[in-house]
């Protein structure tokens, strides 16, 4: 997890400097990178700690605070991770809210202080979050459904795994 955290954070730090581009001889474009503030990160059941590290590292490195909603089926690793990083992060920088989507996720994505939403999970949940985010025009990033599921045998074979 430390490797994932370090890689994500270092890529984000490289990207927060902003750019200026000459558009024509009399004008240029300027990008200015500014933190959003509070980022809501909703992570899936099948890789909660890896996704928490990926989402939180990038958001924190860009100067944001993060509220993570882990899956109700697998929240212990996220809660323990937050305990460990609490020793090095200031209070309130990384926060975990556990519970069901209805009791924890829905209020999180509707909260007026949340300025960005990132979510990995099902298409159905993504649609619900997108409807909630539309009410407040909160920018949102989704990774929905399985992209490349594979199945493999427990012993090595000379043929690559089949696509599911």
């Amino acid at each position: 997890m430390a490797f994932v955290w370090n890689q994500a954070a270092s890529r984000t730090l490289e990207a927060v400097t902003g750019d200026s581009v000459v558009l024509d001889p009399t004008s240029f474009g300027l990008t200015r990178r500014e933190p959003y503030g509070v980022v809501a990160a909703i992570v899936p059941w099948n890789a909660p700690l890896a996704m928490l590290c990926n989402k939180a590292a990038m958001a924190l490195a860009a100067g944001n605070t993060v509220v993570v909603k882990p899956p109700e089926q697998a929240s212990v690793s996220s809660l323990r991770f937050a305990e460990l990083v609490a020793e090095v992060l200031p209070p309130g920088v990384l926060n975990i809210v556990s519970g069901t989507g209805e009791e924890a996720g829905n209020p999180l994505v509707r909260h007026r202080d949340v300025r960005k939403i990132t979510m990995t999970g099902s298409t159905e949940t993504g649609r619900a979050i997108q409807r909630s985010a539309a009410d407040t025009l909160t920018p949102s990033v989704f990774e929905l459904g399985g992209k490349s599921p594979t199945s493999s045998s427990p012993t090595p074979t000379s043929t690559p795994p089949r696509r599911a």
Side-chain angles (χ1 to χ4, degrees):
M1 287 305 116
F3 176 76
V4 172
W5 182 275
N6 288 336
Q7 288 295 103
S10 65
R11 284 192 304 270
T12 302
L13 287 174
E14 292 170 4
V16 297
T17 58
D19 295 308
S20 59
V21 179
V22 176
L23 299 174
D24 61 47
T26 62
S27 62
F28 67 94
L30 176 67
T31 59
R32 202 168 100 180
R33 315 274 179 173
E34 296 179 325
Y36 282 98
V38 178
V39 174
I42 299 171
V43 298
W45 63 268
N46 57 348
L49 189 56
M51 295 305 281
L52 180 156
C53 288
N54 187 31
K55 292 177 183 300
M58 290 187 264
L60 293 173
N64 299 290
T65 60
V66 183
V67 180
V68 178
K69 193 274 184 206
E72 57 267 22
Q73 307 91 336
S75 60
V76 174
S77 62
S78 300
L79 293 166
R80 178 65 179 136
F81 180 78
E83 287 176 358
L84 295 172
V85 299
E87 297 175 11
V88 295
L89 292 177
V93 171
L94 177 67
N95 309 277
I96 309 290
V97 293
S98 60
T100 66
E102 189 62 36
E103 68 187 15
N106 195 30
L108 176 62
V109 299
R110 291 180 175 276
H111 198 282
R112 69 178 191 275
D113 291 339
V114 170
R115 298 287 183 240
K116 175 97 176 179
I117 300 168
T118 175
M119 179 268 193
T120 301
S122 73
T123 302
E124 180 182 339
T125 302
R127 284 187 182 119
I129 291 170
Q130 194 169 36
R131 282 190 293 273
S132 295
D135 291 341
T136 56
L137 298 176
T138 304
S140 306
V141 177
F142 299 98
E143 181 183 341
L144 303 176
K147 300 282 190 266
S148 299
T150 60
S151 62
S152 60
S153 64
T155 57
T157 65
S158 60
T159 58
R162 294 177 308 138
R163 292 263 180 206

